[in-house]
Amino acid sequence: MIKQLPKSTKVVVIGGGVAGCSCAYHLAKFGWKDTILLERDQLTSGTTWHAAGLIGQLGASQTITKLRKYSLDLYKELEKITGLSTGFKQNGAITIASTKDRMQELLRQATTAQLSNVEVQVLDKKKTKLMYPVIEDRDIEGSVYMPKDGQADPVGVTNVLAKAAKMEGVKIFEKTPVKKILVNKGRVVGVDTIYGKIDCEFVVLASGMWSRQIAEDINVSVPLYPNEHFYLITEPIKNLPKDLPVLRDYNACLYLKEDAGKMLIGIFEPNAKPAFKETGRVPENFSFGEFPDDFDHFEPYLEKSFYRLPMLKDAGIRKFFSGPESFTPDTQYLLGETAEVKKLYTCCGFNSIGIASAGGAGKATAEWMMNGHTNEDLFSLDIKRFQKFHSSKKFIMERVTETLGDLYGMHWPYKQHSTSRNQKLLPYHDELKKAGACFGTTSGYERPMWYSLNGKQPKYEYSFSFQNWYPSAKHETTNARKNVGLFDLSSFAKFDLKGENVHDELQKICTANIKSATGKTTYTQMLNEEGGIETDLSIVCIEKNYFRVVTSAATREHDKSHIKKYLSSKVEFKDITDEYCCFGLFGPNSRKMISKISKDDFSNENFKFGFAKFIKIKDIDVWAQRLSYVGELGYELYVKSSEAKKLYDIIFSEGKNFNMVHCGMHAMDIMRMESGFLHWGHDISAEENQYQAGLSFAISYKKNIDFIGRSAILKLKDQPISKQFIMLTLKENKPGEPLLLHEEPIYINDKIIGRTTSGNYSFCFNKNLTFGYVNGNISKDELKSAKLYVEVAKKKYAAELQANSLNQNNFKTI
């Protein structure tokens, strides 16, 4: 019998797992009733059916915690609406720490959870044993207990979401594989199924482990790949306490849950096994499939479970399971519109926490689609944080062997991945290595994070307190402020825009008045229609009808997509990031030094701050911009990659005469904070507007153009702000005591009034420095006189409002 599918619809959701059903439900709930869900086999086939069903609210970030908390509340609500059961059992969850470092991590997560009103109790060893009496506690430092967490039946959750979606008008078709997503002129126009074509305006790719290859067929990058994921179910255990909380032992890579008198033992181990390794492709018919047993792989962790729960030693094994779970390069979800095809959204890549996350992720996806943007800080989940190479088989199949283990591995600050490295090497990579560089990756680039001193090995020694690279950061920042520092800025994204209308079109998408005179630069933001900050960047006019945009390395695809969304076909857009290298020569002696290697005039009168021009260094053509993200006199030197090694050698040779130091990204981040400069993705995002962030100086209402977001922020201009950006320093001034990062609560007395967004230790000013947002109804005078605190790992530290940036050097007029 041939199915009669609708000829057209507004949205097609591909995938009938928990994520697809959540997306379909929320789209219809919010008003897009004309939504169809297509499942190639049966609902839950693929990954959902064999999920462990843990419902945990506490995530590694506030964003994740917020989505998980919503999911839990949604599932409970929909049970009542649909009359079906999710099998949710709110028996709580305990995560134990068997090392002091792990306890620090848990305390930091428990602290952040307060920002999302998630109930978390910190337990000592004695209370942990009382809560979980069958545990071996000799090595336990403590634990955190989430009383509202628990477990659910993944099939039950999916069926509840599917029924709720149908009640809202969604049509669900099982046994209906999609052969291909149809695209015309870079935009979704429909899907082709085995029963015919369906015209549509939007497609949501919620196809789990198949998402990468479905997207690859239309030249779209979706970086995920499945690993083999293992768990074991015991025979019924005599005298097993009922309603035991879910137990997580991260150091042993274990999760354990009681289920009808039996125990499920699951693992998230390092050195995971990629699935379907022979072909690198998930079979189309792998619906409820399992992999052959690999007990040798599982056995070391089973032994650890025997230690943690001695009663398991005598338990029989009812089921040993190995099935596929897909993972992403950084263990974060893949949400949002793809960079390559408009109106194609993803909701996948859940890294084995899909049941706990899908409710919130489906809601976020639906809102994103309906608004055309998000007004939440979701960049850490945005698929556009990745580039094309991230989804190549060579990259992703190696990376996921590490990222599965990352779920339960230590979430160290500044942690770098060890797999799939050296994707993009600078022409002078070996020279930076000889200089002592410790490399980290951003957008595939190997870039120096810091430089070792005195011949020490340039390697991170991870910690939640004093960082082993602090001596290097002190050396780099203090010398850059006194002499001159050489920073590598090559990974920063660079876009060239040309055309007769290019200035007018930039004026339409930028808030600042873009200077059109040759050599003038403009700092600006770009907004979405509701006034949220989408980009933070600089634009320089190279010549008439020719502009260059420079933005952060991490936001390359995100910012590119936002800009191209509003450009007409009359403007030529070219991503030149990989064609040019860039050196940052910053510090009070930078003018003297550059004047030794170039005959051009670098005096303040002839080369003012915010200006740029072509110069010659020896016989090399260089585009020089007098800008500084570190708050010092300095120059950004852009050179073709083919000439970059030669220019580096010249700079390095002359630098010896000026005590020049090589400086890494940690030094740059410290110095930009000392200078009060914000960073998109930490201090600003689509969740903030320019008035909240203190960036209203970058708004030009005088220019005679209705720029994107103008009407929205014009309404905000004279209204009280809901939150305000502030800078704080701690009264505790020892480096790493505490280690300030982000998402730490800010208090007045015992009341949380905001959160931090960035943190660093300033060696030039001997201060623990943090940025953040607090409630907008508190005046600066109140903040100055109030007892302020920042909470780190459940301990409060007295803080002071920093009215002005630490670095008051007026480098613009030097």
Side-chain angles (χ1 to χ4, degrees), residues 23 202 362 558 756:
C23 286
F202 294 85
H558 172 275
T756 64

Side-chain angles (χ1 to χ4, degrees), residues 417-438:
H417 284 110
S418 59
T419 53
S420 300
R421 294 292 295 265
N422 297 327
Q423 300 294 313
K424 298 179 184 180
L425 299 181
L426 298 167
Y428 38 91
H429 175 85
D430 290 342
E431 282 67 30
L432 298 182
K433 191 174 181 180
K434 289 175 188 174
C438 177

Side-chain angles (χ1 to χ4, degrees), residues 426-562:
L426 298 167
Y428 38 91
H429 175 85
D430 290 342
E431 282 67 30
L432 298 182
K433 191 174 181 180
K434 289 175 188 174
C438 177
F439 292 98
T441 58
T442 298
S443 296
Y445 277 94
E446 295 288 331
R447 65 180 188 178
M449 302 303 293
W450 51 280
Y451 290 83
S452 65
L453 300 173
N454 305 318
K456 290 185 178 179
Q457 186 179 13
K459 184 178 179 181
Y460 280 100
E461 296 172 9
Y462 295 119
S463 168
F464 280 107
S465 54
F466 188 92
Q467 301 293 300
N468 75 307
W469 48 264
Y470 273 176
S472 294
K474 180 178 181 179
H475 176 74
E476 293 167 26
T477 56
T478 54
N479 277 281
R481 293 243 184 262
K482 291 178 182 177
N483 300 304
V484 60
L486 176 63
F487 296 78
D488 189 81
L489 312 179
S490 300
S491 59
F492 282 27
K494 302 170 279 288
F495 312 134
D496 277 3
L497 283 71
K498 298 178 181 179
E500 288 186 13
N501 299 324
V502 63
H503 181 253
D504 290 340
E505 296 198 28
L506 282 171
Q507 289 282 61
K508 185 171 178 60
I509 60 178
C510 297
T511 62
N513 187 24
I514 304 303
K515 302 178 182 73
S516 58
T518 299
K520 286 196 174 184
T521 62
T522 308
Y523 170 65
T524 187
Q525 285 84 48
M526 298 178 183
L527 310 179
N528 58 43
E529 285 82 353
E530 294 181 52
I533 301 172
E534 289 285 347
T535 72
D536 179 70
L537 40 76
S538 64
I539 298 176
V540 61
C541 179
I542 293 180
E543 60 185 48
K544 186 178 179 182
N545 299 328
Y546 178 11
F547 291 81
R548 179 169 294 162
V549 174
V550 180
T551 187
S552 166
T555 61
R556 179 175 173 178
E557 292 301 323
H558 172 275
D559 291 4
K560 183 194 304 186
S561 293
H562 182 80

Side-chain angles (χ1 to χ4, degrees), residues 95-110 139 141-144 248-254 268 405-412 415 464 793:
T95 303
I96 62 169
S98 56
T99 63
K100 287 182 168 57
D101 284 331
R102 182 66 78 178
M103 195 66 211
Q104 269 288 307
E105 179 185 314
L106 296 182
L107 289 173
R108 283 176 176 265
Q109 289 183 1
D139 59 339
E141 293 285 334
S143 66
V144 293
R248 295 181 179 88
D249 182 351
Y250 288 159
N251 289 100
C253 309
L254 293 170
F268 287 104
D406 283 345
L407 258 79
Y408 280 14
M410 287 293 296
H411 296 94
W412 294 113
K415 185 178 179 182
F464 280 107

